[in-house]
Amino acid sequence: MGGVGEPGPREGPAQPGAPLPTFCWEQIRAHDQPGDKWLVIERRVYDISRWAQRHPGGSRLIGHHGAEDATDAFRAFHQDLNFVRKFLQPLLIGELAPEEPSQDGPLNAQLVEDFRALHQAAEDMKLFDASPTFFAFLLGHILAMEVLAWLLIYLLGPGWVPSALAAFILAISQAQSWCLQHDLGHASIFKKSWWNHVAQKFVMGQLKGFSAHWWNFRHFQHHAKPNIFHKDPDVTVAPVFLLGESSVEYGKKKRRYLPYNQQHLYFFLIGPPLLTLVNFEVENLAYMLVCMQWADLLWAASFYARFFLSYLPFYGVPGVLLFFVAVRVLESHWFVWITQMNHIPKEIGHEKHRDWVSSQLAATCNVEPSLFTNWFSGHLNFQIEHQMPRHNYSRVAPLVKSLCAKHGLSYEVKPFLTALVDIVRSLKKSGDIWLDAYLHQ
């Protein structure tokens, strides 16, 4: 099949040494169906239909890029590109025709080129190299808080004041553990991916009681397609909350499972207090059992064994359960406000098939940095830059700002309190849009 040929019912792997078949985007677009997925990486066309189920990041993550140019996502998610390309080779079926653009649709080719140049500049500046001292300090201060909380109860007894203070310290420790495992999940600390994975299992499992596989399964989808319904699990929250375009859809279809015009109020009852304690605990356990992640289950069990054995002598069974719930509820407040201040107020809707840079910027914003904000948020206030070692975010930020200014893209930075208030404002706005569509359609 020379030139831009007609694809057969199922393209086989390209034969070594043979000329590669060429395809146009019109042909590639037809292969974005369940069981029939092609994608483009570095102008080469791959048939991932059967292999997607074996993809280490999950079939959903790679499948979300079906019939698209996934070059920038490929580079963002993989540390050792040469190693990963070995797995791609058997899936290669052709390449883009010479006259075809690298990205399908009316995308800004110069923006894509400039972003890749920026990425290379960051590599040349060694901004992807982590500081062992920095991350050792982060782990050290997490462990110190765990010990301090126990010592408070041991020395002062299980009274209300020591217990409240210990629960508060443990909630901070749990919050900081979220951030550290997030760094490890992005392979931002060790040069070897394997070490990042092992360390993430320890932090996520032993220090938090959750599954590293479960977190990566959710979080990688979020980064691949941020704020896209049915592709980003962080915003696929209907029918409990309506966000972005779902407000209009539910209104036009006269759907009213909850009083959505009041969602900014009931958010305070079921959002921050219960996400970690209820939703994450149940979803995490179900994922480990259904996906048979037995190693993660053992890691999580080690957390609960340590926690309950440490505090059982002071509280007894009912008391230690109440103490655990208090820690989880406090931690959950932190998690919801800090992780959503960058995303919920931004554009949320269905797939727009944008280039990597535009899709990321449309879905996120930064929060003004300070020593406290950087520490308290785990540097998630640098949401736009945050796929590298976090101590280098401030160094790469000027380069990203320049790129945005050159191409007329919004680089939004908010004050910390404004970012938190905007979560509630955006929920109210979506609820009002739903009510208007519900009443007038």
Side-chain angles (χ1 to χ4, degrees):
M1 188 171 65
V4 181
E6 291 297 326
R10 173 75 63 183
E11 297 296 332
Q15 298 301 314
L20 286 174
T22 58
F23 300 99
C24 63
W25 279 110
E26 183 179 359
Q27 293 170 296
I28 295 169
R29 281 196 298 270
H31 295 273
D32 187 22
Q33 305 297 325
D36 181 18
K37 294 277 186 181
W38 291 7
L39 54 76
V40 177
I41 297 174
E42 296 165 341
R43 295 191 62 84
R44 294 199 158 195
V45 182
Y46 298 92
D47 183 349
I48 61 166
S49 305
R50 296 188 179 95
W51 184 81
Q53 294 297 329
R54 302 198 302 274
H55 180 235
S59 60
R60 289 189 187 179
L61 176 61
I62 193 169
H64 289 340
H65 294 280
E68 293 183 355
D69 176 68
T71 301
D72 292 311
F74 171 75
R75 293 175 178 175
F77 284 112
H78 300 102
Q79 198 172 22
D80 188 341
L81 297 182
N82 290 328
F83 175 75
V84 179
R85 287 189 182 102
K86 296 177 182 177
F87 294 90
L88 285 177
Q89 188 59 39
L91 311 176
L92 178 64
I93 59 171
E95 60 185 358
L96 284 174
E99 67 275 9
E100 289 289 314
S102 294
Q103 296 83 32
D104 186 21
L107 304 182
N108 188 335
Q110 187 60 51
L111 170 61
V112 174
E113 182 179 337
D114 289 347
F115 169 72
R116 293 174 184 173
L118 186 156
H119 192 280
Q120 184 59 52
E123 288 186 349
D124 295 340
M125 295 168 65
K126 299 190 181 302
L127 298 185
F128 291 95
D129 292 349
S131 165
T133 303
F134 178 87
F135 287 105
F137 171 79
L138 288 180
L139 176 60
H141 97 297
I142 290 169
L143 298 176
M145 284 189 282
E146 294 281 334
V147 173
L148 177 60
W150 185 86
L151 285 175
L152 278 172
I153 306 302
Y154 177 76
L155 296 175
L156 302 180
W160 281 104
V161 174
S163 296
L165 185 57
F168 181 72
I169 293 172
L170 284 175
I172 296 175
S173 172
Q174 288 291 293
Q176 291 298 314
S177 294
W178 276 121
C179 299
L180 182 57
Q181 72 82 27
H182 174 264
D183 296 316
L184 290 162
H186 280 290
S188 297
I189 299 180
F190 298 102
K191 291 186 180 297
K192 296 290 186 180
S193 295
W194 187 82
W195 281 105
N196 285 293
H197 296 326
V198 171
Q200 187 189 21
K201 285 181 179 294
F202 167 76
V203 175
M204 196 60 164
Q206 165 54 218
L207 297 186
K208 292 202 57 61
F210 288 99
S211 163
H213 277 93
W214 163 76
W215 172 261
N216 292 338
F217 172 76
R218 286 182 56 96
H219 195 61
F220 292 167
Q221 290 183 75
H222 159 71
H223 277 299
K225 295 290 182 177
N227 285 18
I228 301 298
F229 290 139
H230 310 301
K231 293 187 176 182
D232 179 358
D234 289 0
V235 299
T236 307
V237 292
V240 180
F241 296 103
L242 299 184
L243 305 172
E245 294 176 4
S246 66
S247 305
V248 178
E249 293 174 7
Y250 268 61
K252 288 182 177 179
K253 295 177 180 178
K254 304 297 182 181
R255 293 181 178 177
R256 186 189 176 107
Y257 303 109
L258 288 167
Y260 298 120
N261 55 313
Q262 302 297 324
Q263 66 177 3
H264 61 292
L265 299 178
Y266 67 71
F267 165 77
F268 289 93
L269 299 176
I270 64 176
L274 300 180
L275 178 70
T276 303
L277 176 66
V278 178
N279 182 267
F280 277 6
E281 290 281 1
V282 172
E283 184 181 324
N284 169 70
L285 179 59
Y287 180 88
M288 289 189 290
L289 293 176
V290 171
C291 298
M292 296 183 288
Q293 295 293 338
W294 308 126
D296 280 14
L297 189 62
L298 288 174
W299 275 112
S302 72
F303 161 81
Y304 287 102
R306 173 177 60 83
F307 187 94
F308 282 86
L309 289 174
S310 297
Y311 293 101
L312 196 62
F314 305 115
Y315 294 107
V317 174
V320 76
L321 287 172
L322 181 62
F323 185 63
F324 173 78
V325 168
V327 173
R328 278 289 190 249
V329 169
L330 289 171
E331 167 199 356
S332 187
H333 277 83
W334 176 96
F335 186 94
V336 171
W337 291 105
I338 293 301
T339 60
Q340 298 310 308
M341 65 183 181
N342 308 95
H343 295 292
I344 293 298
K346 300 292 287 183
E347 178 184 311
I348 301 174
H350 295 284
E351 179 66 80
K352 303 295 191 300
H353 297 289
R354 294 186 175 104
D355 59 81
W356 176 262
V357 184
S358 298
S359 65
Q360 301 294 316
L361 286 167
T364 191
C365 66
N366 279 3
V367 175
E368 290 178 353
S370 70
L371 287 176
F372 171 77
T373 304
N374 294 351
W375 168 79
F376 185 69
S377 69
H379 287 80
L380 293 180
N381 53 316
F382 285 94
Q383 188 70 207
I384 295 173
E385 293 85 6
H386 88 277
Q387 294 193 33
M388 62 171 52
R390 65 165 99 162
H391 50 78
N392 289 329
Y393 293 164
S394 59
R395 293 179 61 193
V396 79
L399 302 180
V400 179
K401 289 179 184 177
S402 297
L403 177 71
C404 293
K406 177 180 178 180
H407 293 277
L409 298 172
S410 173
Y411 183 98
E412 187 176 7
V413 183
K414 299 179 181 180
F416 181 63
L417 292 179
T418 300
L420 299 182
V421 171
D422 279 351
I423 296 175
V424 182
R425 287 174 178 162
S426 63
L427 287 169
K428 186 178 188 307
K429 179 180 178 181
S430 294
D432 290 343
I433 291 173
W434 166 81
L435 182 62
D436 182 68
Y438 186 87
L439 295 175
H440 297 101
Q441 291 295 325

